[in-house]
Amino acid sequence: EGIGASPAGHRSPHTPAPPPAPRPSHLLPALTGASRPVMILSPLLLLGLGGGGGIGIGLGIGIGGADAFSPASSSSSSSSVVRSRSRASTSARGFSPLFSPSSNDASLVVSSASADASADASDSFDPSSSVVPSRRYDSAIVGAGPAGLLAAIMLARKYGPSHRIAVYERRPDPPPSPEDEEVWSDVARFYLLGLGHRGQSALRRFGAYDDFERASVAVGGRRDWKPGMTREEDGVETPARKDVTSRVLARDKLVGVLHHHILENYADAGNIDLMYGYQVDPVSFGEEVGGGKEGQESGPVVLRVSRCEDANAADSKYQSSSESEQTCDVDGSELIAADLLVAADGSARTVANAMEKFDLERRSKLNPAARLFSPPPFRVTRYEDTNPRVYKSVPIRVPSHWKPNLNYSARSRDNRITLEALPSNEEGDICALLLMKPDDEFAKENGDAADLRSFFDDEFPCFSNLVSDDVMGNVASKGASTLPAFRYAGPRLSMGGRTVVLGDAAHTVKPYYGLGANTALEDVSVLCDALDDGHKEKGDGSGGAAIARGVELYSEMRAGDSRDLVQISRGMDRPGKLGTMMFFVFPLILDSIFHKAAPAIFGPNMFGMFQKRGMGFEAIRRKKRMDRALQALIIGTGLTGAGAAAKMVLAAAARALGRSQAFAGGSAAALFVAASTLRKLIKKEEPESQAS
């Protein structure tokens, strides 16, 4: 049930950086303190950042629980407010380099003290001016997508207003208000997300559900047209049968919901810095103290932060996450430190890629004996897309007699193109996707609008009447957008007791089954549980030992689910008709039959398993493997018994006829073929006789 929209097609996240702009004379406050041993860290530039987001209607797990800090009841003596950079301020202020790139002494003295003078210096913040980031944070979050912003909310609720949080986002533009109808009325410009009980439970747990509900649309079911069934009355409606109704909104709109939720609910605390227009590259994961072993306290994470600007800054119109391109000034970067790093930067995986590189380099330096007994390195498993699909988005206004809250679906006769549409609002605007192979003629840029119209008239006539000539021309002329490839991080989702990876950075799937964004938000809830458990075990609040243990527990809780989510989804996305039948259709049918016959023994099909609350993907996969083994045993036993019975019948028939078993078997087969042929002939003649 997943769908997304991006008229701009695939774009490269990297563009050459412009010459450094003139820098103001002010310097960021130096990082000082003496509560832990001083370390000398040599900066290391690690490049690579992109963008990505989850799309789809999903299912999920509800995780309840109360949190210690509520924004409604918070009190703080700080006079600062939640800080949010805008593109307008991007051109006005910049970083002053901590060290000169040409200096011979390019090192940074870092201690583990909490923010001191830097926090005090920024407390008298003027909300109309640009944000000056601190040099030291308790938590740094890379990526201001849904998972990153929800993680900021979770940490603020958990640790209270004294816990300094920075959220870094490469895009310079803060998201618009979810109530800005001028932006969201262009329904085909944005990815659509559908959140089921996994995502909704996480939003509800951290107090953001009401804002999400106001900005989203409930999906009441599906209406499908099978291939060749082109009349309006051929569409079959199936009401939603879920405990939690899925709700849909644009991905960027969900980002706007969470962004403005922070501004409206955490301004008095003043402990969340929303930093838009910054690229973050890890320099150190804090291994220098404590050996960097999982579960042990280590030094802070050190990050290189660079200023970015939108390549389309001249265009005052808000750029969607799929349209935005940035250029970043890595030469004029700064170094910051944080006790906890949350990597939520989507499929770009800047932090995860740096973790992979760091772990491989560390492992290569071990002697052969130590390497033999060391744990496997962190790595990102990247699958080749064996069943690639691209898409184009089509804005449609459904007629008044159609239900505006349905997921509409239609397939062409040869399964060449699938049309999937989700509601964008309650007024009847839907965003439809045309899913097709990359080499399809309609996937090309500057296509023929008349040919596309003819295809719609033949295959999707119910929808063709709803698409104007101008829209059809725009769809034909724009290039197709790509779907993400399957990838996951593992065998752990942590590094050095200070860094965790979650969301699409940990597991990337195609949006077909609505699991990407839902699982990303659920990751935040699991991280909250892990940090709670770390505090219970170590008993020192948000101190280093508790955080290190929480980081380790999060990896233990979530790494298997991250892997199995991707592998389950990939297993259902096989190329060709045979692959679809063997790995998708046949297992669904088999599960439905056995579950109906013995629901106490066999679980529902995979989509039913996704809806089970309290069951992760590792448990789902384990249950399905047990079901398959038992199904194979029953089917094998049945076939063996049927074969033995057939052999006994043939032997009896041979004795009765006084012939061999081979003759009796051949005769039975001939009679079966003759009966089947006669049945087909009778069925063929019946309509002709009725017509005459």
Side-chain angles (χ1 to χ4, degrees), residues 387-408:
N387 189 30
R389 289 292 185 273
V390 297
Y391 66 90
K392 290 187 176 185
S393 57
V394 187
I396 295 175
R397 169 64 71 95
V398 299
S400 58
H401 62 281
W402 287 24
K403 293 183 179 180
N405 65 336
L406 294 181
N407 173 196
Y408 290 96

Side-chain angles (χ1 to χ4, degrees), residues 39 45 145 151 188 190 213 227 285 294 384 387 491 535 568 650 678:
M39 299 174 294
L45 182 61
F190 302 98
E213 185 180 34
F285 292 103
E294 298 301 314
E384 179 184 357
N387 189 30
H535 167 64
I568 288 171
L650 287 176
L678 182 61

